[in-house]
Amino acid sequence: GATTSNNTIIGANAGAFTLGSSNVAIGSGALNSVYSAVDETVAIGLNALTAALTTASSGAVGVGTRALVALTTGAANTALGKDAGAAVTTGSYNTMLGSTARSSTTASYNTIVGANSGSAALGNNNTALGKSALATAGAVTDAVAIGANALTSALTAGANGSVAVGSSALTLLTSGASNTAVGQNSGAAITTGS
């Protein structure tokens, strides 16, 4: 059999297939993955971290119902909130805090804080802070959205490097690169300008 040690498992079907060590699984179905050969991983909440995890995903922290539910090989992801990080599979080093805070399946190095912030289509190196910030963004990279509804349109890679600070700043931007808008509703009419 497999060698396991120092695991804390509480809840129906929690950690049922855990093969690694120093894991915490609390909640029905938490860390219930057929391939859970992970170490130092924390899953707290109904069905948190339940996909086919590999050793590459060791160190993940998923707290909340279905937090990081699809994660397979992404390294060092942290998700806190109901459905936080639910789409992430292979992306790494993402931090998602808030109900339905999200990053794309493969994107890495995103920091997403706020209810419904982030997008399941994001590129890498984005920062979203505020309710629905970057909520419908596409494959944009290096974007910063601070404030409720900042940078909420369907951003493309053409909008890389854009910065929106303020409630509803740059809400219509889709492909204008390197725009900076500071203040409530600032740059709200810009769609494709750079």
Side-chain angles (χ1 to χ4, degrees):
T3 302
T4 64
S5 62
N6 301 315
N7 290 307
T8 301
I9 299 171
I10 302 170
N13 298 312
F17 301 101
T18 300
L19 302 174
S21 297
S22 303
N23 297 297
V24 175
I26 300 174
S28 180
L31 200 60
N32 187 3
S33 165
V34 176
Y35 304 106
S36 306
V38 295
D39 296 314
E40 301 172 350
T41 299
V42 177
I44 300 175
L46 174 69
N47 295 325
L49 283 156
T50 56
L53 300 170
T54 66
T55 55
S57 59
S58 289
V61 176
V63 178
T65 300
R66 292 179 300 278
L68 292 173
V69 69
L71 184 67
T72 56
T73 60
N77 287 289
T78 301
L80 173 61
K82 180 180 175 282
D83 295 312
V88 177
T89 57
T90 60
S92 297
Y93 306 101
N94 294 297
T95 301
M96 297 147 291
L97 306 175
S99 180
T100 319
R102 56 201 174 272
S103 182
S104 73
T105 58
T106 60
S108 297
Y109 304 102
N110 288 309
T111 302
I112 310 297
V113 180
N116 299 313
S117 58
S119 160
L122 281 179
N124 299 321
N125 306 313
N126 295 293
T127 301
L129 175 60
K131 178 191 78 69
S132 300
L134 281 174
T136 58
V140 66
T141 62
D142 304 307
V144 176
I146 300 174
N149 303 309
L151 280 171
T152 55
S153 63
L155 299 170
T156 67
N160 291 348
S162 291
V163 176
V165 178
S167 179
S168 300
L170 290 174
T171 54
L172 297 179
L173 184 68
T174 57
S175 61
S178 300
N179 282 287
T180 300
V182 178
Q184 183 179 17
N185 297 314
S186 61
I190 298 172
T191 57
T192 59
S194 293

